[in-house]
Amino acid sequence: MCEILLSIKPEFVNLIMCGQKKYEFRKKPCKQNVDKIIIYSTNPIMKVVGEAHVETVLIDKPENIWNITKEESGIERDFFDEYYRGRDQAVAYKLEHIVRYPEPKSLADYGISTAPQSFCYLGPQYSPH
């Protein structure tokens, strides 16, 4: 089991939490197989607000990823195209079992002092449940 903490903009966090965004997009896959994502909402929230299990990880050309995910992407095509401009690979984490924490947690609860630019791996010792 591999957990990562992902930094995600608050507007996307909200879409994930309400079920409109079922995929989280990244430019590069993690080196390890990820089965759980801890969701860190970036500025101005700056808290760990929830988690999601990873149903599957899709890695393909951006056009193919868009065709698979567009109905549940939670984003507009223009945003997707701009994000992957000049890239020949797209990564989409299919999220399931999404949980919003009743009380947001700090990064310190996970042994982290600063938010990761994109993501960081978490060890089992940092799961504050």
Side-chain angles (χ1 to χ4, degrees), residues 2-72:
C2 174
E3 293 183 9
I4 60 172
L5 183 136
L6 276 184
S7 293
I8 304 174
K9 293 180 180 178
E11 62 264 30
F12 299 131
V13 170
N14 290 336
L15 292 172
I16 289 168
M17 293 299 169
C18 75
Q20 289 182 312
K21 187 175 193 297
K22 297 194 177 180
Y23 289 92
E24 178 57 24
F25 299 98
R26 296 291 152 151
K27 293 177 181 170
K28 294 181 181 180
C30 294
K31 292 186 186 338
Q32 298 182 30
N33 292 328
V34 175
D35 52 12
K36 190 175 191 182
I37 293 173
I38 306 301
I39 300 169
Y40 174 78
S41 186
T42 60
N43 195 24
I45 308 297
M46 300 171 65
K47 292 283 186 183
V48 177
V49 297
E51 64 186 53
H53 288 269
V54 176
E55 181 181 314
T56 189
V57 181
L58 305 173
I59 303 171
D60 205 336
K61 295 177 182 175
E63 183 65 29
N64 294 340
I65 294 295
W66 178 255
N67 288 333
I68 294 167
T69 64
K70 62 185 172 188
E71 298 300 321
E72 298 177 311

